[in-house]
Amino acid sequence: MTLLCLPCRSLNVLFHGVSWWGGVQMGPPDPILGVSEAFKKDSNPKKMNLGVGAYRDDQGKPFVLSCVRKAEALISAKQMDKEYLGITGLADFNKSCAKLALGADSEVLKSGRNITVQTISGTGSLRIGANFLSRFHGGPRDVYLPKPSWGNHTPIFKDAGMTLKAYRYYDPATCGFDHSGALEDISKIPEQSVIMLHACAHNPTGVDPRPEQWKEISDLVKKRNLLVFFDMAYQGFASGDIDKDAWAVRYFIEQGHNIVLSQSFAKNMGLYGERVGGFTVVCNDAEEAKRVESQLKILIRPIYSNPPMNGARIASTILNTPELYSVWLGEVHGMANRIIKMREQLEAGLKKEGSTRDWQHVIDQIGMFCFTGLKPEQVERLTKEFSVYMTKDGRISMAGVTSGNVGYLAAGIHAVTK
Amino acid sequence: SSWWGGVQMGPPDPILGVSEAFKKDSNPKKMNLGVGAYRDDQGKPFVLSCVRKAEALISAKQMDKEYLGITGLADFNKSCAKLALGADSEVLKSGRNITVQTISGTGSLRIGANFLSRFHGGPRDVYLPKPSWGNHTPIFKDAGMTLKAYRYYDPATCGFDHSGALEDISKIPEQSVIMLHACAHNPTGVDPRPEQWKEISDLVKKRNLLVFFDMAYQGFASGDIDKDAWAVRYFIEQGHNIVLSQSFAKNMGLYGERVGGFTVVCNDAEEAKRVESQLKILIRPIYSNPPMNGARIASTILNTPELYSVWLGEVHGMANRIIKMREQLEAGLKKEGSTRDWQHVIDQIGMFCFTGLKPEQVERLTKEFSVYMTKDGRISMAGVTSGNVGYLAAGIHAVTK
């Protein structure tokens, strides 16, 4: 039928006598956030939400860091006003955000050749970056994502006017890093294209390159003259060590890559709903950074004018108050450690269930997520029969696993894979 | 050798750039009449007591910081819509609106612009009043729409160009988008009278235009929440299925917390569900989900009767102080001996006054008196106090006599 072939905008015109939005189709639910919505509706008392990457304590409860509560008390005592931040956000936050990623002794910071702006968490940072690339990057429109990547990367870049391509990354045969496949694909990427790299704790696979592998990637990316876009959403959360998790970012910069970088404080400071993040462009020099800053402001102003203050004040207080900073380092370390422990318990649990499959990757993978290797049909069974909710790519959020439910999870996974 | 070698230095934001210039000025008598942020009579930022009370209530609950959904805090969305549309609105009863939490007014307008760009079947043109808030233009442009204008402000009278507006609107192609400021027009402070709104509504209906209301000052214009929402509610009663942006930056003083709402009035609840699903798909790759803190504060105020009435009183108080400053400025100009007609200073409504000053006069006022404003002659009355209104009158008189 001709009507069905028309783009939805034309359908809206045909329906105009009745409604402006007659042609607007019901869209599919977000694959990740949609999991939580389905979970909420389930009445099974043993249900597990392993969908969204939000940290849970060992009682399965959301965890507000004590350094965050202390920072909030300090802020509240000051009874500060609520005047607009500038377009680029809270200056003290921006400085310490960059320092956290790049390291206090970074030559980039000393020469002032970075511009770091406060953003609406990691997503907001990526989108600002995507919009900036779309407007100012002279190279190809293609952004190369690792295969697989976080689902939201694709619409972020697409809606910003870029096109998506991929390079091999995850090896389903080993549930590990496909180093040779990645290098082979990267060697064919046209010069000046944008390549997205996950700084640590790759989402969704949990598979990170080893340092010597990162070095080869850096050399090759340099040879191909690619623009590197680092997504660092889990600094501190991967290994438990802030500097270790930023190693790849800092190494690339030392190697001369003028990167762009997105940071999120949703996970490592538990500031999820406060929406705290940063976007950095490493430039040639301070003068270039000023030009880039001016254009970032022009881009941001018609999206949301200026960013939300509360979360940035909390993050800045923590980063800039030595006492709170060390409490924070301890708490991030603690969260990462619990995750690592759950990995060990899950792997042990699967062995105990009698599984003959190789589950080494559960321990080898790093960060919040584990790419189980489960096929969509197995995921569906795990959800329908055991009320264990995850995304259909087989990704589970280890943060949702507790010592109380890891046994049930192991039993369920074994049941659908034996 | 560099990715960004070709990136030019961009011009500073015309409005926010004023504040930056003001900060650098060392003149003790300097006045910042640029950004529309309310100041008390000591010239200080004002945090409403209902906001402080709400913060205390929220803090006591020690809530977590889990992600809100893509469309934000549900209790906020409901009360945000109720505030604009009225508790007895048929739209709310039938559930035929979708209201989502946004990043204040700008975020709301941009979501709306993006939604129109993607789903509006009509022309790409958005008709803004002339003049309009400066940021409207890049908001719609960057979203892929094109900008046009209809006459609105009459420089001859410093008032509303009713016949000019109707004439221009009568020529707008069907199904185009028309932007209307619900109250306290920015930058002019000139609002149509109710009978004029009725004529606009009839004509817009006849032309079959899609109405986009920008309501950034509900409560701030007249001091009365319902009075300021009259045009929005009237248009809905008249059958316009509007889209609406709301901001709580000014009327709750929540500026930097970034609290706002975007509403699409649909044919029915089923359509609202479809529209909601597409708004989510649009929002997710921009910022995933909105910031929680400001929405919790606003929701607490709107949903706690005691705080709600404190708030109404404080909004009324802010609006009254503005009105008083208008009266004092007009009186001050008379006292200075100005022979010009400054009636519009009193007639205009809301935070801003379109003085009628020309760019050269604005420049003199800034250079010689350290009075900062945007070069269209717009002053933020919120930055005027009983302590500096005399100085301002003297300065304005000096550059216009």
Side-chain angles (χ1 to χ4, degrees):
Chain A
M1 296 239 336
T2 342
L3 267 174
L4 293 171
C5 302
L6 292 170
C8 65
R9 278 180 35 204
S10 303
L11 281 172
N12 285 342
V13 174
L14 285 169
F15 280 84
H16 84 82
V18 177
S19 161
W20 296 114
W21 316 115
V24 173
Q25 307 292 314
M26 180 66 86
D30 181 271
I32 298 174
L33 304 178
V35 169
S36 288
E37 287 173 22
F39 169 82
K40 273 189 209 134
K41 298 177 181 158
D42 191 326
S43 53
N44 183 345
K46 291 187 156 238
K47 65 180 180 177
M48 291 175 70
N49 187 357
L50 304 182
V52 187
Y55 182 80
R56 296 283 175 269
D57 63 17
D58 203 48
Q59 275 68 51
K61 297 271 172 282
F63 175 56
V64 179
L65 281 62
S66 81
C67 62
V68 168
R69 290 295 186 215
K70 289 180 161 74
E72 287 185 308
L74 287 174
I75 290 163
S76 172
K78 288 192 195 159
Q79 294 279 284
M80 290 186 279
D81 63 40
K82 296 188 181 295
E83 293 301 292
Y84 292 123
L85 293 175
I87 300 173
T88 57
L90 189 61
D92 285 344
F93 168 76
N94 294 340
K95 265 178 90 170
S96 49
C97 175
K99 184 172 152 196
L100 180 72
L102 274 36
D105 54 352
S106 166
E107 155 273 322
V108 168
L109 297 178
K110 288 189 173 74
S111 55
R113 65 184 183 95
N114 65 300
I115 170 60
T116 300
V117 303
Q118 179 190 339
T119 59
I120 302 169
S121 209
T123 302
S125 177
L126 289 161
R127 181 55 176 268
I128 294 301
N131 282 138
F132 185 76
L133 291 176
S134 184
R135 188 173 279 185
F136 292 106
H137 178 50
R141 307 282 78 198
D142 299 317
V143 176
Y144 285 76
L145 301 179
K147 198 186 320 187
S149 194
W150 182 45
N152 205 23
H153 277 148
T154 294
I156 287 171
F157 284 101
K158 239 191 203 162
D159 284 6
M162 305 297 283
T163 42
L164 279 310
K165 291 206 157 64
Y167 58 93
R168 273 171 290 170
Y169 187 85
Y170 177 73
D171 186 349
T174 60
C175 294
F177 179 49
D178 183 358
H179 187 56
S180 56
L183 291 180
E184 209 183 304
D185 285 355
I186 294 172
S187 72
K188 296 179 187 153
I189 296 179
E191 295 213 13
Q192 301 193 29
S193 303
V194 180
I195 182 168
M196 164 77 54
L197 300 170
H198 295 220
C200 60
H202 180 272
N203 179 359
T205 69
V207 166
D208 288 349
R210 290 189 308 273
E212 59 271 24
Q213 293 172 324
W214 271 124
K215 289 178 179 179
E216 286 187 65
I217 294 169
S218 168
D219 287 345
L220 180 56
V221 163
K222 217 190 291 187
K223 212 161 98 178
R224 297 301 306 148
N225 192 25
L226 306 178
L227 170 44
V228 173
F229 198 143
F230 263 114
D231 184 356
M232 184 155 69
Y234 299 98
Q235 188 185 5
F237 219 101
S239 68
D241 181 314
I242 287 292
D243 297 307
K244 190 160 179 227
D245 288 350
W247 181 85
V249 169
R250 296 176 189 180
Y251 177 78
F252 268 64
I253 290 174
E254 279 161 34
Q255 290 295 302
H257 298 273
N258 278 359
I259 68 167
V260 300
L261 165 70
S262 285
Q263 288 168 262
S264 169
F265 290 84
K267 282 84 172 173
N268 62 10
M269 281 194 183
L271 291 174
Y272 307 97
E274 299 278 1
R275 318 309 289 127
V276 193
F279 176 68
T280 293
V281 182
V282 176
C283 301
N284 249 25
D285 50 48
E287 184 270 340
E288 180 163 280
K290 283 286 160 208
R291 283 185 279 112
V292 168
E293 178 184 27
S294 73
Q295 294 297 346
L296 283 170
K297 287 162 86 166
I298 288 169
L299 200 145
I300 289 170
R301 170 62 156 155
I303 305 179
Y304 54 83
S305 280
N306 44 76
M309 61 184 6
N310 197 251
R313 281 175 166 173
I314 295 169
S316 184
T317 301
I318 292 168
L319 293 173
N320 291 303
T321 311
E323 195 182 283
L324 293 187
Y325 186 75
S326 38
V327 172
W328 175 54
L329 291 183
E331 294 189 288
V332 166
H333 191 81
M335 289 193 285
N337 269 4
R338 196 186 84 71
I339 301 278
I340 287 165
K341 210 159 142 208
M342 289 303 103
R343 289 180 178 280
E344 289 164 0
Q345 289 190 15
L346 178 57
E347 196 264 348
L350 285 159
K351 272 208 180 87
K352 202 158 134 213
E353 287 286 327
S355 179
T356 50
R357 285 176 59 149
D358 180 6
W359 296 103
Q360 183 60 31
H361 56 281
V362 171
I363 300 179
D364 290 345
Q365 289 166 6
I366 191 168
M368 190 146 353
F369 300 111
C370 169
F371 226 40
T372 55
L374 290 177
K375 297 183 183 19
E377 322 82 65
Q378 294 167 325
V379 170
E380 209 178 327
R381 279 190 63 197
L382 202 43
T383 303
K384 283 207 159 86
E385 297 172 29
F386 293 87
S387 293
V388 173
Y389 289 81
M390 64 180 69
T391 47
K392 53 182 181 8
D393 56 6
R395 180 193 89 164
I396 58 172
S397 171
M398 292 308 300
V401 182
T402 68
S403 46
N405 64 25
V406 65
Y408 177 76
L409 178 62
I413 291 177
H414 176 57
V416 305
T417 55
K418 66 184 175 188
Chain B
S1 67
S2 162
W3 296 116
W4 317 115
V7 173
Q8 307 292 316
M9 180 65 87
D13 181 271
I15 297 172
L16 304 178
V18 169
S19 288
E20 288 173 20
F22 169 82
K23 275 189 207 130
K24 299 178 179 153
D25 192 326
S26 53
N27 182 346
K29 291 188 158 240
K30 65 180 181 177
M31 290 175 70
N32 187 357
L33 304 183
V35 188
Y38 182 80
R39 296 284 176 269
D40 64 17
D41 203 50
Q42 275 68 53
K44 296 275 172 280
F46 174 56
V47 180
L48 280 64
S49 81
C50 62
V51 168
R52 289 298 186 212
K53 290 181 161 73
E55 287 185 308
L57 288 174
I58 291 164
S59 172
K61 289 189 193 162
Q62 293 279 284
M63 292 187 277
D64 63 41
K65 295 187 183 294
E66 293 301 290
Y67 291 124
L68 293 175
I70 299 174
T71 57
L73 189 61
D75 285 345
F76 168 76
N77 295 340
K78 263 176 92 170
S79 50
C80 174
K82 184 172 150 193
L83 181 71
L85 274 36
D88 53 352
S89 168
E90 155 273 321
V91 168
L92 297 178
K93 287 190 171 75
S94 55
R96 66 184 183 96
N97 65 300
I98 170 59
T99 299
V100 302
Q101 180 191 337
T102 58
I103 302 169
S104 209
T106 302
S108 176
L109 289 161
R110 181 55 176 267
I111 294 302
N114 282 137
F115 185 77
L116 292 175
S117 184
R118 188 172 280 184
F119 292 105
H120 178 50
R124 306 284 75 199
D125 299 316
V126 176
Y127 284 77
L128 300 180
K130 197 186 321 185
S132 194
W133 181 45
N135 205 22
H136 277 148
T137 295
I139 287 171
F140 285 101
K141 241 190 202 165
D142 285 6
M145 306 297 283
T146 43
L147 277 311
K148 291 204 157 62
Y150 57 93
R151 270 172 290 171
Y152 187 86
Y153 177 74
D154 186 348
T157 61
C158 294
F160 179 48
D161 184 358
H162 187 55
S163 56
L166 290 179
E167 208 181 306
D168 285 355
I169 293 172
S170 71
K171 295 178 185 155
I172 296 178
E174 295 214 11
Q175 300 193 32
S176 304
V177 179
I178 182 167
M179 164 77 53
L180 301 170
H181 295 220
C183 61
H185 180 270
N186 180 358
T188 69
V190 166
D191 288 349
R193 289 189 308 271
E195 59 270 23
Q196 293 173 322
W197 272 125
K198 289 180 180 179
E199 287 189 63
I200 295 168
S201 167
D202 287 345
L203 181 56
V204 164
K205 215 190 289 187
K206 211 161 97 177
R207 298 302 305 147
N208 193 25
L209 307 178
L210 170 44
V211 174
F212 198 143
F213 263 113
D214 184 356
M215 185 156 70
Y217 298 98
Q218 188 186 5
F220 219 102
S222 68
D224 181 314
I225 287 293
D226 297 307
K227 191 162 180 221
D228 288 351
W230 181 84
V232 169
R233 296 175 189 182
Y234 177 77
F235 268 64
I236 290 174
E237 279 162 32
Q238 289 294 303
H240 299 273
N241 278 359
I242 67 167
V243 301
L244 165 70
S245 284
Q246 289 167 262
S247 169
F248 289 84
K250 282 84 172 171
N251 61 10
M252 281 194 183
L254 290 174
Y255 306 97
E257 299 278 2
R258 317 310 288 129
V259 192
F262 177 67
T263 293
V264 183
V265 177
C266 301
N267 246 27
D268 50 47
E270 185 271 340
E271 180 163 282
K273 283 286 159 205
R274 283 185 280 112
V275 168
E276 178 184 26
S277 74
Q278 294 296 346
L279 283 169
K280 287 162 86 166
I281 287 169
L282 200 145
I283 290 170
R284 170 62 155 154
I286 304 179
Y287 54 82
S288 280
N289 44 75
M292 63 184 3
N293 197 250
R296 281 175 167 173
I297 294 171
S299 184
T300 302
I301 292 169
L302 293 173
N303 291 304
T304 311
E306 191 182 285
L307 292 187
Y308 187 74
S309 38
V310 173
W311 175 53
L312 291 184
E314 294 189 288
V315 166
H316 191 81
M318 287 192 286
N320 270 2
R321 197 185 84 69
I322 302 280
I323 287 165
K324 209 159 141 208
M325 289 304 101
R326 289 179 178 281
E327 289 163 2
Q328 289 189 17
L329 178 58
E330 196 263 350
L333 285 158
K334 271 208 179 88
K335 202 156 133 215
E336 286 286 329
S338 178
T339 51
R340 286 177 58 150
D341 179 6
W342 296 104
Q343 183 60 30
H344 56 281
V345 171
I346 300 180
D347 289 345
Q348 289 167 6
I349 192 168
M351 190 148 351
F352 301 112
C353 169
F354 226 42
T355 56
L357 290 177
K358 299 187 181 16
E360 322 81 68
Q361 295 167 324
V362 170
E363 208 179 328
R364 278 190 64 198
L365 203 43
T366 303
K367 285 208 156 81
E368 298 173 29
F369 293 86
S370 292
V371 173
Y372 290 79
M373 63 180 71
T374 45
K375 53 182 174 23
D376 55 6
R378 182 193 86 164
I379 56 174
S380 170
M381 293 307 300
V384 182
T385 69
S386 46
N388 65 24
V389 64
Y391 178 76
L392 177 61
I396 290 177
H397 176 57
V399 305
T400 55
K401 66 183 177 193

